[in-house]
Amino acid sequence: MGFYRSDRQQVSSSNAAPELLTKYEAPLDCLTAHLMLECSEVLAGVKPANLVSLVNRTRPCGRNLYQLWQAHQHQVACRFGSLEFIMLQVKPRAVLLLCFNRNHLEQQLSHAGIRTLLHKAGYQPQSGLDELLDLLIQRIAKHDRFPHEIGLFIGYPPKDVAAFMGMVKLPFTCQALWKIYGNPAQSLRLAEDYRCCRQRMGAILATGNRQMLEIRDSEHPFFCQTNDIDFHLPEGAKP
């Protein structure tokens, strides 16, 4: 078993919440809803980046998210405001995306400890974000797998990434979304934060309210400190 649970399970399978996406009839809305769910931790600001895999197969609803991305990638990217999408890998069977908040990811990768780990992994110490991402893409293309340091890009605890890579000696403690080493408390709290973001976004999207796709709205329920998830269209409004 690798660092990530169930191999590519961490890359947001296109099978996630299939019944949720059937609530959005327009192809662009369907793709937007899927990406909102898969990038919920990044939208919430608790994670600098997420991996998203769009598999080239037709879902029970008749949609193919891989094809929707090919057709609507520029339109959907505009809907996400400050979030950016880059393609880490493109194959006939799937496209692997990295969704990230540039400021948050730059801050994450500028941490001295993380820079040290990246340097040990073969990255240049003074590289900017785009240079780091370029090398990451090259490594994925060369080896057709996730470089272990990818955990540093997507917000996993540095101690867990370093221990898995053999850079520090810590005992394996437990398995969450990734392998946890040493004291698990902080890692488990982080995993729970990620789970809660995904659960909250799922509940919001499950309403089928197209207004919930307007994530640039500062009044969007996902960004409000409330437990109310019963979001309905105003009377007379059309979805």
Side-chain angles (χ1 to χ4, degrees), residues 47-92:
K47 209 168 187 275
N50 253 3
L51 295 168
V52 182
S53 179
L54 302 177
V55 180
N56 187 7
R57 64 168 175 260
T58 302
R59 301 160 61 90
C61 65
R63 297 275 173 72
N64 181 315
L65 292 172
Y66 177 96
Q67 293 176 357
L68 291 184
W69 170 260
Q70 299 295 341
H72 301 289
Q73 57 183 281
H74 298 298
Q75 292 167 278
V76 79
C78 291
R79 288 187 165 189
F80 280 79
S82 62
L83 265 62
E84 298 181 37
F85 294 88
I86 61 171
M87 290 182 281
L88 296 181
Q89 186 181 62
V90 181
K91 289 190 170 185

Side-chain angles (χ1 to χ4, degrees), residues 2-238:
F3 184 48
Y4 309 99
R5 187 179 64 186
S6 302
D7 207 18
R8 295 213 171 193
Q9 181 178 347
Q10 272 307 288
V11 195
S12 312
S13 162
S14 295
N15 288 327
E19 70 286 348
L20 183 154
L21 299 187
T22 62
K23 298 177 180 292
Y24 298 92
E25 296 182 2
L28 180 58
D29 289 348
C30 175
L31 179 61
T32 301
H34 179 76
L35 292 176
M36 284 176 66
L37 181 65
E38 302 304 334
C39 301
S40 54
E41 305 94 327
V42 186
L43 286 167
V46 300
K47 209 168 187 275
N50 253 3
L51 295 168
V52 182
S53 179
L54 302 177
V55 180
N56 187 7
R57 64 168 175 260
T58 302
R59 301 160 61 90
C61 65
R63 297 275 173 72
N64 181 315
L65 292 172
Y66 177 96
Q67 293 176 357
L68 291 184
W69 170 260
Q70 299 295 341
H72 301 289
Q73 57 183 281
H74 298 298
Q75 292 167 278
V76 79
C78 291
R79 288 187 165 189
F80 280 79
S82 62
L83 265 62
E84 298 181 37
F85 294 88
I86 61 171
M87 290 182 281
L88 296 181
Q89 186 181 62
V90 181
K91 289 190 170 185
R93 67 175 182 269
V95 58
L96 177 63
L97 307 176
L98 182 74
C99 164
F100 63 98
N101 179 297
R102 179 169 289 270
N103 291 337
H104 192 174
L105 186 55
E106 285 180 335
Q107 183 179 19
Q108 162 88 0
L109 298 180
S110 67
H111 187 279
I114 291 178
R115 279 285 172 163
T116 298
L117 294 176
L118 287 174
H119 183 44
K120 289 181 178 180
Y123 293 75
Q124 293 301 314
Q126 304 305 320
S127 294
L129 177 58
D130 291 326
E131 293 173 294
L132 295 173
L133 291 173
D134 285 344
L135 183 53
L136 181 66
I137 293 171
Q138 292 172 27
R139 290 187 168 190
I140 292 174
K142 183 177 180 180
H143 300 290
D144 194 29
R145 61 175 176 79
F146 293 155
H148 297 317
E149 71 273 8
I150 202 168
L152 300 172
F153 287 79
I154 60 175
Y156 288 166
K159 74 173 180 65
D160 296 332
V161 180
F164 181 79
M165 296 179 71
M167 294 180 179
V168 298
K169 291 186 177 180
L170 289 173
F172 171 72
T173 306
C174 59
Q175 180 83 42
L177 299 174
W178 62 92
K179 286 189 172 182
I180 295 174
Y181 295 81
N183 187 338
Q186 181 180 3
S187 297
L188 289 175
R189 284 197 299 270
L190 194 60
E192 178 63 12
D193 286 344
Y194 295 166
R195 187 195 67 80
C196 289
C197 288
R198 187 67 61 98
Q199 183 181 51
R200 179 164 176 74
M201 182 63 84
I204 289 172
L205 293 174
T207 64
N209 183 345
R210 286 193 67 253
Q211 290 183 356
M212 296 300 101
L213 303 180
E214 300 296 332
I215 57 176
R216 292 188 182 188
D217 183 359
S218 61
E219 300 299 318
H220 193 287
F222 184 69
F223 306 107
C224 298
Q225 298 298 319
T226 173
N227 292 321
D228 180 14
I229 59 173
D230 185 21
F231 308 115
H232 298 289
L233 288 168
E235 185 176 354
K238 295 183 179 180

